Amino acid sequence: ETSPSSIRIRREWTLLNWILQEVWIFNQFFEVSFDVTEICDTKPWDTPAGDCASGHTLTDDVEWPADITVESIYYLPDDLENNPDVGTQNARPQINTKCNLASVDFQDEVTEINDTTVMVERVWAVTDSFTGEVSTYTQLIQAKKFPDGSLVCITNGEGIPIADVTLIPGINTDSTGCYAFGDPDGITVIPRKETPLEEDVNLLDIILLLEEILGQTTLTEYQRLAADMNHNFGVSTLDYVQIRKLVMGIMQDVNPRTWRFYQPLTFEQAADISNPDLPYPFVGIKTGDVDYSYYKPTPDYEDRFLKAEDEILNKGETYRIPFHLNEFGLHTGFAIRILNPNQSLEFLNVTAPDIPNFEGFPNINIQPGAINILWIGRGMDLPEGYPIYPEDTLFMLELKANENVIMNEELKIDVTYDNLISAAHGLDPYDLRFEWEDVIISSTTSLGPGRELTMYPNPVRDQVYIKGLTAADEGIMRVLDATGRLIITSSLQPMLDLSNLSDGLYYVTIIMEDGTSAVMPIYKSL
């Protein structure tokens, strides 16, 4: 039972006892009073306050905006809110009802004052959702007029201009995000822009979306549209799964449409710009870019180093390499892409025994010569962060060597990828870098233009490897001690066993069949 200011609810509860085959019924009653919108103001917020008869009180449920002058052609409420010269209280009515039961709408009538100025008569209407009572108020806005045609401008949700947006074939926005059509009659613009879907979509976008889903943060309307990966005008865990796939380099099932453009308020995606007295703004939404990083300069984050002990990897053997952070921090997630450009290694798996919520396969994507690793903390760790200490294993990389190699020479971080570890809420993330402990030194020499030989490890304990030889190469290898005494003579081969030598300095001489030669020093150590 409803009335303009309340509702009475009768809820009937039914309890069934399956063992006794009995039913109990109970009625519960609720009385709910509505917060009816009460408005008596007829003057703007900046007039002296008094009672209702004065036209402005501090006790009713609305504060009307004042008349303003703007040095801009853009005068819609969203544009005024993004204009630093306009106070937010003058962009739209401020509603003070406890439960936000009032809806706000407006209609504009535009009058040309002269060649450079228009007067906008904006009639605001505030409607109480339960009583249907409507209160109106007229705000006057004096704005610039574009005298030479129609001006179309594209910005993001924060008012930052978007360049290189195609308005009609052959016409793009410039660095200001705008283009002026001198003869706009009959022209309809439909903004279009294409960039790689994964561009500027990273770990930070995933965390923002997850915090929105968990109710830990509130995204703006435009951020929610960016997070709407499947373009159904809603945000759900399905969008979270898809944006994770995008960051992980798994492109299937992700809507390929990169950009969407909407007119504020109407959300129309096209505009007939025939009337030069009207502004034509659009807001651009890049799918997946929840934190607007596409529009901002590349940040120079502080580095966090991933430390690992360097190793000689023997062909056919499997290794589990632990990586640690170089210092303590409270973190909410990390994303990294590791490359093996020579494909001398085979990535097998990743584990993370010391951090929570790392399930393995969903957090890794293995490709030829590359692996993506992603971790995001549990809901309770967002946004406080999970403590990770230098002695903790951030992740354990399992790989197999396809050749005899040195690990630090084969594993690289993909510099085109956003390799980030996020900190607790309110703190900047960090860029991830490699830092190798006990790095093995290699010796390099030249056999002529474009022909280099590398010998590693140096110092050596048992076997030394020579990289740069081919199957067609023929020649001899000699090992001399520090006094020049010949110790070993061998045919040319990619590996030399020095395990029987005493500690000290030696020289390895390589003499090719064509007479070219090279000498490399090496230190034998236990």
Side-chain angles (χ1 to χ4, degrees):
E1 300 174 1
T2 62
S3 71
S5 61
S6 67
I7 184 171
R8 186 173 190 267
I9 303 169
R10 180 181 67 84
R11 177 172 296 161
E12 183 180 280
W13 293 95
T14 302
L15 180 66
L16 296 89
N17 187 316
W18 293 101
I19 297 177
L20 301 178
Q21 294 293 302
E22 294 181 356
V23 178
W24 294 279
I25 297 176
F26 177 78
N27 287 316
Q28 181 185 20
F29 293 90
F30 300 87
E31 297 283 348
V32 182
S33 296
F34 300 142
D35 181 20
V36 177
T37 307
E38 296 181 355
I39 298 175
C40 68
D41 278 9
T42 58
K43 295 182 179 180
W45 67 274
D46 58 353
T47 57
D51 56 15
C52 280
S54 72
H56 177 224
T57 74
L58 299 177
T59 57
D60 73 345
D61 289 332
V62 71
E63 291 289 350
W64 298 115
D67 298 339
I68 55 174
T69 298
V70 293
E71 294 295 316
S72 170
I73 190 175
Y74 291 105
Y75 49 73
L76 292 175
D78 284 355
D79 300 317
L80 296 178
E81 284 187 334
N82 287 320
N83 188 332
D85 298 325
V86 177
T88 56
Q89 67 271 32
N90 289 328
R92 64 181 79 241
Q94 307 299 306
I95 306 300
N96 303 319
T97 55
K98 296 178 182 177
C99 299
N100 297 321
L101 302 179
S103 61
V104 181
D105 199 0
F106 71 91
Q107 289 186 338
D108 286 346
E109 182 176 332
V110 181
T111 303
E112 183 176 341
I113 297 178
N114 52 46
D115 289 343
T116 61
T117 309
V118 295
M119 180 62 72
V120 181
E121 186 176 315
R122 177 165 295 161
V123 179
W124 291 101
V126 177
T127 304
D128 185 275
S129 302
F130 291 105
T131 66
E133 183 178 346
V134 180
S135 300
T136 61
Y137 172 80
T138 300
Q139 178 190 22
L140 298 178
I141 303 171
Q142 183 172 295
K144 279 190 174 181
K145 174 182 179 295
F146 190 74
D148 298 323
S150 295
L151 185 66
V152 180
C153 288
I154 315 287
T155 65
N156 75 335
E158 293 183 328
I160 300 175
I162 306 177
D164 297 322
V165 178
T166 301
L167 303 177
I168 61 174
I171 300 295
N172 291 4
T173 58
D174 59 18
S175 60
T176 68
C178 300
Y179 184 84
F181 289 85
D183 184 12
D185 188 41
I187 294 179
T188 297
V189 298
I190 306 175
R192 293 284 187 268
K193 185 176 177 69
E194 290 301 328
T195 54
L197 187 61
E198 67 275 14
E199 187 174 346
D200 290 291
V201 180
N202 56 39
L203 170 72
L204 309 181
D205 299 298
I206 302 177
I207 291 177
L208 271 177
L209 174 53
L210 181 58
E211 289 178 339
E212 162 76 11
I213 292 172
L214 296 176
Q216 296 172 340
T217 191
T218 301
L219 300 178
T220 67
E221 181 179 27
Y222 296 124
Q223 284 179 309
R224 288 175 60 85
L225 285 171
D228 178 19
M229 299 294 293
N230 54 16
H231 297 180
N232 66 353
F233 292 94
V235 175
S236 67
T237 53
L238 179 59
D239 299 299
Y240 171 70
V241 170
Q242 289 184 328
I243 197 171
R244 280 179 63 103
K245 286 184 177 181
L246 185 60
V247 172
M248 291 288 288
I250 305 172
M251 302 299 294
Q252 61 264 28
D253 300 328
V254 177
N255 193 316
R257 186 178 171 194
T258 305
W259 287 87
R260 290 167 287 168
F261 296 89
Y262 300 102
Q263 286 189 283
L265 302 180
T266 66
F267 271 72
E268 294 291 333
Q269 295 182 288
D272 181 343
I273 64 169
S274 299
N275 186 352
D277 292 333
L278 296 178
Y280 297 99
F282 283 87
V283 175
I285 310 295
K286 184 181 183 299
T287 299
D289 184 20
V290 185
D291 67 347
Y292 297 132
S293 59
Y294 177 87
Y295 315 92
K296 301 172 183 176
T298 302
D300 184 18
Y301 295 131
E302 185 181 336
D303 289 337
R304 276 283 190 271
F305 289 97
L306 284 172
K307 302 181 69 172
E309 185 171 339
D310 198 14
E311 289 193 35
I312 300 171
L313 308 182
N314 297 312
K315 181 178 180 180
E317 294 185 4
T318 299
Y319 299 85
R320 299 181 73 225
I321 313 298
F323 287 82
H324 309 265
L325 289 176
N326 65 321
E327 57 184 280
F328 169 80
L330 293 170
H331 298 294
T332 58
F334 72 86
I336 187 171
R337 179 175 171 85
I338 302 174
L339 302 179
N340 173 226
N342 299 322
Q343 297 195 34
S344 56
L345 307 171
E346 180 183 350
F347 294 115
L348 301 177
N349 193 21
V350 176
T351 56
D354 293 337
I355 62 174
N357 203 37
F358 191 98
E359 297 87 1
F361 177 75
N363 290 328
I364 63 173
N365 177 31
I366 299 176
Q367 304 164 353
I371 185 170
N372 287 57
I373 309 171
L374 174 67
W375 167 73
I376 295 176
R378 300 168 297 195
M380 66 183 71
D381 297 325
L382 302 173
E384 288 81 5
Y386 181 81
I388 300 178
Y389 296 86
E391 59 267 26
D392 294 335
T393 299
L394 186 67
F395 62 86
M396 183 89 69
L397 180 61
E398 185 176 342
L399 51 82
K400 180 181 178 181
N402 297 325
E403 301 175 14
N404 296 322
V405 294
I406 295 179
M407 187 169 64
N408 84 84
E409 292 184 351
E410 302 302 322
L411 292 184
K412 311 293 181 184
I413 288 183
D414 185 355
V415 296
T416 66
Y417 186 83
D418 288 327
N419 302 286
L420 297 171
I421 183 164
S422 60
H425 187 71
L427 300 176
D428 286 339
Y430 300 91
D431 286 320
L432 287 176
R433 299 285 185 267
F434 276 159
E435 184 178 85
W436 301 100
E437 297 178 347
D438 301 323
V439 174
I440 302 167
I441 302 169
S442 60
S443 297
T444 301
T445 189
S446 175
L447 280 173
R451 185 72 189 275
E452 286 191 345
L453 296 182
T454 300
M455 185 171 60
Y456 61 90
N458 189 6
V460 61
R461 184 175 61 183
D462 297 310
Q463 289 82 30
V464 64
Y465 299 91
I466 295 90
K467 185 176 182 179
L469 298 176
T470 68
D473 288 331
E474 293 187 6
I476 61 172
M477 304 170 64
R478 294 172 178 167
V479 180
L480 292 81
D481 65 14
T483 66
R485 184 167 56 95
L486 179 65
I487 306 297
I488 298 175
T489 299
S490 168
S491 60
L492 196 62
Q493 55 186 306
M495 189 273 289
L496 190 62
D497 189 354
L498 304 182
S499 58
N500 292 327
L501 298 184
S502 302
D503 290 0
L505 178 65
Y506 295 87
Y507 296 93
V508 177
T509 301
I510 296 177
I511 304 173
M512 307 299 289
E513 187 179 33
D514 61 4
T516 58
S517 63
V519 179
M520 291 180 282
I522 191 167
Y523 190 81
K524 174 68 167 60
S525 174
L526 295 178

